[in-house]
Amino acid sequence: MTARPALPDLGTVTMYSTAWCGYCRRLRTQLDSAGIGYTVIDIEEHPETAEYVEQVNGGNQTVPTVVYPDGSAATNPSLADVQAALAR
């Protein structure tokens, strides 16, 4: 079983991404506009993290995969989804 990654700080998220992912770029732009902090982990630059993304996404390397401070994860969430999750 894959080790769970370190959780992001309260009020921030960790985004698993790739350089070529348009959905990832869009979400980063939206997070920037909303003032939400995030850490990006490129699963192609850090292939050991792809296993976690697969675990969260039923065996698929689907990005963006976002991890919240409570340990929950979401695949390709909207900005509203991220804001709601951080407000919990």
Side-chain angles (χ1 to χ4, degrees):
M1 183 168 177
T2 304
R4 177 168 225 124
L7 297 178
D9 292 334
L10 288 177
T12 70
V13 298
T14 298
M15 181 190 319
Y16 292 89
S17 180
T18 62
W20 49 264
C21 173
Y23 294 110
C24 301
R25 282 192 301 274
R26 182 186 66 194
L27 184 56
R28 283 194 305 267
T29 299
Q30 292 172 337
L31 294 173
D32 287 339
S33 294
I36 297 172
Y38 58 92
T39 300
V40 174
I41 299 174
D42 188 314
I43 66 170
E44 292 180 331
E45 290 179 10
H46 303 279
E48 70 280 4
T49 63
E51 193 172 326
Y52 171 74
V53 171
E54 289 174 1
Q55 186 179 47
V56 171
N57 293 297
N60 298 308
Q61 291 184 11
T62 307
V63 291
T65 295
V66 174
V67 178
Y68 301 106
D70 67 1
S72 64
T75 304
N76 197 15
S78 67
L79 176 60
D81 292 339
V82 173
Q83 290 170 318
L86 292 176
R88 288 188 244 147

